[in-house]
Amino acid sequence: MRPLDLDRRSVRRLAITRQRLAGPRPAADADGLREVLRALRCLQLDPVAVVARSHLLVLWSRVGRFDGADLDALLWDERWLFEYWAHAASIVLTEDYALHRGLMRRYPRGVSAYGRRLVAWVEANAELREHVLQRLEDKGPLPVGGFEDRSALPWESGGWTKGRNVERMLDLLWTQGRVMVAGREGGKRLWDLAERCLPERTDRTELPDADIVSLSAEHALRALGAGRARDVANHFVRDRYDALPEALERLVADGRAVRARVEGADPGEPWFVHADVLPLLETVGGEAWGPRTVLLSPFDNLLCDRERTELLWGFRFRTEMYVPKARREFGYYVLPVLHGDRLVGRIAPRFDRRRGVLDLENVYAEPGAAGVRAAGPDAGAAPSPDPASAEEVADAAEGVAGAVADLAGFLGAREVVCSGAVPEPWRETLRRVEAAPVP
């Protein structure tokens, strides 16, 4: 079969639609959260809460203002979700448990220098491991402070894990699937034995590695809309796709995917579109496509692969939390602005919970979005758009203002202020948000 020919706009729109950032908005209830979570397959966890926790922002971007109690019920009451490692520490679906068992049963491998050091550390600390498991059997769920440090060999590292032997052992047992996060108290994890956390309905099938790779690749391809092998490898369960090119070719042979060529991309590197995504090709190219303007978490699934983001959107995005303040280009915590199928700007907000104030410390418009022609694109990046028309600039300004107002309502802010610079074309609409009561 001849490969599909796709332009970059179509590829962007496929990804946006598949990740529920365009089209009919899912309901802001438990059923809507299930729809989004099934589309994404994972929500990255991050402790930074300058605005709100990342996983909450990812869901808000898709369903709007939702009740966090609905997510808690899916996690801790129904156990429809659990915390595990996907492309990072994440919330994942219990129905995907059989896919995650591949990592559980082989961790740690002991192949790399780090892996060999970890294996040696675990063997030297058998007493600590048995203490943790016995304490959980007798007294679980427990916080990290509920265990004694009975390590014989301290964990050495140049990072935050240095000397944190109990936490390191819990993390290892968690990755092995022997313990799980049973709940949270004040944001701190409570640990328990996995068999007490998993519901009876959990599929515990021991899938062959080839099946795990194939099924995981299908999930990733559906979420990406269209992607290369490298895009799949960086999505959902990153670094767990052994023999991925062969798996993708099997999907094509089985009619589960088709090959594609993308405008401006390396012609020697094939793209793939999952069969379930093909019906969207007509929708994303016509008037039926339903664009929105949303603010995205810096760890949003749409942007978690920075190289792909630059290729498709011409948008270079890096988190600057660990960059010295004087060297930051945009700010400590930056939310990209998705308007239709373009990333048109960045907002660096901070939510003062005590005062109830959402402060926009800086607002930036991307070249082209505010009516200014962009400089030439970097090698390999998507071509920068021509300057937006006056109508397009006004439309983006209204969209950005609406997204900011909605974020303020979701956070429960009483006031929005713009303490930093605001691009001229967006200034009037954002000043109206400042002046108006938070809806």
Side-chain angles (χ1 to χ4, degrees):
M1 179 179 173
R2 188 173 181 273
L4 292 172
D5 285 310
L6 301 174
D7 59 29
R8 295 198 203 207
R9 187 186 74 167
S10 295
V11 176
R12 290 195 300 268
R13 289 186 173 190
L14 283 175
I16 291 165
T17 304
R18 286 298 305 165
Q19 298 200 18
R20 302 302 190 269
L21 289 164
R25 175 168 264 177
D29 57 17
D31 287 339
L33 297 184
R34 288 180 200 271
E35 178 185 337
V36 170
L37 288 157
R38 278 205 168 105
L40 300 179
R41 309 313 292 192
C42 64
L43 293 176
Q44 182 173 337
L45 292 166
D46 189 85
V48 177
V50 173
V51 180
R53 295 285 299 278
S54 177
H55 61 286
L56 301 178
L57 287 174
V58 171
L59 292 173
W60 163 76
S61 293
R62 288 150 173 86
V63 305
R65 303 180 204 182
F66 70 97
D67 188 344
D70 287 333
L71 179 62
D72 287 342
L74 293 177
L75 262 168
W76 313 124
D77 299 336
E78 296 183 35
R79 301 289 178 177
W80 193 79
L81 303 165
F82 68 100
E83 294 187 16
Y84 193 61
W85 192 267
H87 64 271
S90 302
I91 294 170
V92 297
L93 280 65
T94 304
E95 64 192 51
D96 287 339
Y97 180 75
L99 302 182
H100 295 292
R101 288 198 76 181
L103 176 60
M104 293 175 184
R105 68 187 179 219
R106 69 173 185 256
Y107 186 83
R109 279 185 170 183
V111 176
S112 65
Y114 173 83
R116 290 190 293 272
R117 185 163 71 91
L118 185 56
V119 168
W121 182 82
V122 173
E123 291 175 350
N125 288 306
E127 183 181 352
L128 173 59
R129 181 183 64 241
E130 295 311 311
H131 164 69
V132 168
L133 293 172
Q134 190 62 53
R135 280 284 292 166
L136 289 177
E137 184 174 347
D138 295 341
K139 300 290 185 180
L142 290 171
V144 69
F147 308 92
E148 298 174 18
D149 183 353
R150 296 190 182 181
S151 58
L153 178 66
W155 177 258
E156 295 294 339
S157 80
W160 69 271
T161 59
K162 180 180 174 63
R164 298 189 177 189
N165 302 303
V166 170
E167 288 149 295
R168 196 71 193 89
M169 183 60 73
L170 284 165
D171 182 71
L172 181 135
L173 293 170
W174 174 62
T175 310
Q176 290 180 333
R178 299 185 68 180
V179 305
M180 295 183 99
V181 181
R184 286 182 177 262
E185 271 185 3
K188 302 295 183 182
R189 293 181 290 187
L190 297 175
W191 297 95
D192 206 348
L193 298 176
E195 57 261 32
R196 292 207 288 240
C197 296
L198 289 168
E200 290 185 10
R201 66 179 184 276
T202 305
D203 182 359
R204 294 169 171 82
T205 304
E206 286 274 0
L207 292 174
D209 287 345
D211 289 355
I212 291 175
V213 170
S214 180
L215 291 167
S216 299
E218 287 199 70
H219 284 321
L221 263 185
R222 288 189 193 96
L224 291 167
R228 306 159 294 177
R230 72 167 82 181
D231 301 325
V232 172
N234 285 326
H235 208 74
F236 183 32
V237 287
R238 186 174 293 175
D239 299 326
R240 276 187 257 166
Y241 294 97
D242 294 337
L244 178 59
E246 294 83 353
L248 291 171
E249 291 301 332
R250 283 196 301 273
L251 291 177
V252 172
D254 293 342
R256 302 296 297 153
V258 299
R259 293 185 190 86
R261 293 179 299 216
V262 175
E263 165 203 24
D266 180 356
E269 189 173 21
W271 289 66
F272 299 87
V273 179
H274 195 277
D276 294 350
V277 177
L278 293 175
L280 284 177
L281 284 171
E282 290 188 18
T283 302
V284 300
E287 294 182 1
W289 190 64
R292 300 184 218 139
T293 304
V294 296
L295 307 181
L296 301 176
S297 159
F299 305 106
D300 195 278
N301 299 54
L302 188 72
L303 310 177
C304 65
D305 184 340
R306 306 307 196 205
E307 185 269 340
R308 175 181 162 93
T309 302
E310 285 192 53
L311 175 69
L312 294 179
W313 278 273
F315 187 86
R316 188 179 186 278
F317 184 63
R318 302 291 184 272
T319 52
E320 298 182 303
M321 294 176 222
Y322 306 111
V323 175
K325 186 174 182 179
R327 292 171 52 195
R328 290 177 194 146
E329 186 177 3
F330 297 107
Y332 178 82
Y333 196 80
V334 174
L335 307 185
V337 182
L338 178 68
H339 177 65
D341 63 18
R342 302 299 312 189
L343 291 166
V344 299
R346 311 164 199 242
I347 292 179
R350 186 175 296 273
F351 181 42
D352 185 330
R353 289 166 178 77
R354 184 181 60 82
R355 296 167 52 223
V357 174
L358 176 61
D359 182 6
L360 309 186
E361 296 182 329
N362 279 299
V363 179
Y364 304 90
E366 287 295 289
V372 179
R373 183 177 293 277
D378 294 334
S384 299
D386 289 332
S389 66
E391 182 180 355
E392 290 168 334
V393 170
D395 183 58
E398 292 293 341
V400 171
V404 168
D406 193 62
L407 176 61
F410 175 60
L411 297 173
R414 294 187 292 273
E415 183 182 3
V416 176
V417 299
C418 300
S419 64
V422 177
E424 175 60 37
W426 298 352
R427 192 167 298 157
E428 181 181 347
T429 55
L430 284 176
R431 294 304 183 205
R432 289 205 302 268
V433 176
E434 278 189 299
V438 175

